[in-house]
Amino acid sequence: MPADGTRVTAFMLVKTTPEWLAMTVAERVQAFTTQVVPVIEARAHGVRSRFYDTEFYSARVTDVWVWEADDHDAYRLLIDALRETPFWDRYRVAGQCSGLQAGGRG
């Protein structure tokens, strides 16, 4: 955690593209673990993620990706890393809400 306790949390609302949905589950797992994860691990340190499947409840987005970063720079590096992966072509970012935990403590 950063010295000042300001952890950034971002809720990324995404919608899958037809290209991604045309892939089998095994192909999706393979693509994510070989094309996305290594880039994030190499370029963005101090970030954690959780993924929520929302397509059952929303037509606007299919997934919510929650990213928690130790600071603003770590989150910026994460986004820069994602832009260099097929993620950026296979998902459409429909919206994002970023913030700090109330009181500024993570």
Side-chain angles (χ1 to χ4, degrees):
M1 175 179 310
D4 66 359
T6 54
R7 220 181 250 156
V8 176
T9 302
F11 299 86
M12 187 180 288
L13 310 175
V14 297
K15 185 159 180 88
T16 52
T17 64
E19 175 190 358
W20 183 255
L21 295 174
M23 298 168 71
T24 66
V25 172
E27 290 170 331
R28 292 180 208 163
V29 169
Q30 175 74 10
F32 192 79
T33 57
T34 62
Q35 299 171 7
V36 178
V37 172
V39 174
I40 293 171
E41 288 177 346
R43 301 240 353 251
H45 303 283
V47 294
R48 290 149 302 284
S49 61
R50 293 185 308 272
F51 305 105
Y52 296 88
D53 194 359
T54 61
E55 63 193 319
F56 307 113
Y57 309 105
S58 170
R60 188 170 86 97
V61 298
T62 56
D63 302 270
V64 174
W65 290 20
V66 179
W67 298 97
E68 185 177 74
D70 286 346
D71 54 39
H72 296 282
D73 194 49
Y75 183 69
R76 182 188 58 80
L77 290 172
L78 165 73
I79 297 303
D80 285 347
L82 284 174
R83 287 176 152 164
E84 295 180 13
T85 69
F87 162 84
W88 221 247
D89 298 325
R90 294 181 178 145
Y91 279 89
R92 182 179 60 78
V93 178
Q96 177 180 302
C97 296
S98 300
L100 307 175
Q101 185 173 343
R105 299 285 173 221

